[in-house]
Amino acid sequence: MSEINSLENILVNIPLFSNLKEIDDISKLTHIKTYVKNTTVINEGDISDSLYIIISGRAKVFISDEQGKELMLKSLGKGDYFGEMSLLDESPRSASITTLEDSLLATISKSNFIQCMLKHPDIAISLSTELCKRLRLTTENLKDIALTDGYSRIAKTLLQMAEVQNDKKIIARKLTHQNIANMAGTSREMVTRILNDLTQGGYLSIEDKKIIIHKSLPGGW
Ligand code: CMP
C-alpha cells in the first residue's frame, strides 16, 4: 500500500499526468524497474509496445547504422517518457534508447495506457503536444544537418549543453569526442580538430574532461 502511495507521489509530478485527478488509476498499472548505466532499454526495429517513463536518471534516443555509427536524436531526463510511437502506430521501434546513468523507469503496457487515455483525454492532449515539440526539434536538427556546416553544429551542441557556473559556461557532463560527434551529426575526427583549434584560440579549455567555454565562439571556422 505504502509503495503505491509513494509511486503516486512520483507520478503526480510527471508532466504527462499533471492534470490527472485520479493518479491511482495509473499507479496501479505501472511497474518500476532499475536499469544500470549503459543499458539498452529499446532496440531500433524491435516489436514491442510498452511506454516508459523516467522516474530518475537519464537516457539517450539514437539511431545507428550497421557499422555502429550513431546519431543522437534527443537526451531524456526525469519526467520524460519514450516508447509512445510504437504504442500508437503499431510499427517497430523507431529508435534505440540507452541509459546514460543508473535510472529508475516506470513501464505501462499498451492496453493499460490506451485504457487510461480513453478515461482521461488530458493524457492524449499532453502526448500530442509532446509529439509536436519532438517533431519541431527533429525538423530543426534536420535543417542543421542539411544546411549547416560541421563546425556550426559542433558549436551549437557545445552551447546547448553548457550551463553558466560562476560566470563561466561549463559542460559539466564528461563527454568523449565521439559523444559530441554523435550529437552534432559529424565525425569524431572533426570534433577533435575543432576542439583543438578552439583550445589553441583560447575559446575553451578542457579540465578533468569538462569543457569550459571562456568567450563567445566564432560564428564560422
Ligand atoms: P518508439 O518508436 O516506440 O521507440 C523508440 C522511441 O524513441 C520512440 O517511440 C520515441 O519515444 C523516441 N523517439 C523516436 N524518434 C524520436 C525523435 N526524433 N525525437 C525524440 N524522441 C524520439
Side-chain angles (χ1 to χ4, degrees), residues 150-156 158-159 171 180 190-206 211-221:
Y151 162 74
S152 303
R153 294 203 300 276
I154 293 169
K156 186 173 175 181
L158 296 177
L159 291 171
I171 302 176
I180 299 170
M190 177 145 193
V191 171
T192 302
R193 190 162 57 79
I194 297 284
L195 289 185
N196 285 343
D197 286 357
L198 289 173
T199 304
Q200 276 168 21
Y203 292 94
L204 52 83
S205 59
I206 300 174
I211 298 175
I212 302 168
I213 301 171
H214 298 288
K215 53 185 176 181
S216 297
L217 301 181
W221 203 256

Side-chain angles (χ1 to χ4, degrees), residues 42-46 48-52 60-63 73-76 81-89 91-97 130-131 133-135 137-139 141:
I42 283 182
N43 274 301
E44 185 182 343
D46 275 2
S48 57
D49 55 15
S50 294
L51 176 83
Y52 295 80
K60 64 174 177 179
V61 184
F62 66 99
I63 45 176
L73 300 174
K74 197 172 181 352
S75 163
L76 303 172
Y81 51 87
F82 56 88
E84 75 291 347
M85 289 172 60
S86 297
L87 186 147
L88 294 170
D89 72 1
S91 297
R93 296 294 192 187
S94 58
S96 299
I97 314 278
E130 179 62 24
L131 283 171
K133 278 191 202 156
R134 290 187 187 185
L135 183 56
L137 186 68
T138 304
T139 304
N141 290 342

Side-chain angles (χ1 to χ4, degrees), residues 29-163:
L29 305 172
T30 306
H31 299 282
I32 300 227
K33 197 176 154 191
T34 303
Y35 292 79
V36 295
K37 182 179 173 179
N38 290 330
T39 305
T40 296
V41 183
I42 283 182
N43 274 301
E44 185 182 343
D46 275 2
I47 310 283
S48 57
D49 55 15
S50 294
L51 176 83
Y52 295 80
I53 303 155
I54 303 182
I55 305 293
S56 66
R58 272 176 341 102
K60 64 174 177 179
V61 184
F62 66 99
I63 45 176
S64 54
D65 67 11
E66 274 147 22
Q67 283 73 46
K69 200 170 156 209
E70 280 184 16
L71 175 65
M72 186 164 145
L73 300 174
K74 197 172 181 352
S75 163
L76 303 172
K78 182 180 172 185
D80 288 330
Y81 51 87
F82 56 88
E84 75 291 347
M85 289 172 60
S86 297
L87 186 147
L88 294 170
D89 72 1
E90 302 189 345
S91 297
R93 296 294 192 187
S94 58
S96 299
I97 314 278
T98 296
T99 51
L100 294 170
E101 44 189 68
D102 292 352
S103 303
L104 198 61
L105 304 182
T107 327
I108 183 162
S109 71
K110 176 182 174 172
S111 55
N112 285 335
F113 188 71
I114 298 284
Q115 196 187 312
C116 286
M117 248 190 339
L118 292 174
K119 191 166 170 202
H120 306 286
D122 274 357
I123 297 180
I125 295 172
S126 176
L127 196 65
S128 311
T129 308
E130 179 62 24
L131 283 171
C132 293
K133 278 191 202 156
R134 290 187 187 185
L135 183 56
R136 282 180 190 278
L137 186 68
T138 304
T139 304
E140 194 186 319
N141 290 342
L142 182 64
K143 183 178 170 189
D144 284 345
I145 285 175
L147 305 176
T148 312
D149 61 279
Y151 162 74
S152 303
R153 294 203 300 276
I154 293 169
K156 186 173 175 181
T157 301
L158 296 177
L159 291 171
Q160 277 173 344
M161 300 211 66
E163 286 167 14

Side-chain angles (χ1 to χ4, degrees), residues 9-36:
N9 290 338
I10 293 169
L11 292 176
V12 84
N13 291 312
I14 301 288
L16 181 62
F17 306 126
S18 56
N19 289 327
L20 210 70
K21 291 188 184 65
E22 298 149 75
I23 200 74
D24 55 327
D25 279 359
I26 302 279
S27 63
K28 280 183 207 141
L29 305 172
T30 306
H31 299 282
I32 300 227
K33 197 176 154 191
T34 303
Y35 292 79
V36 295

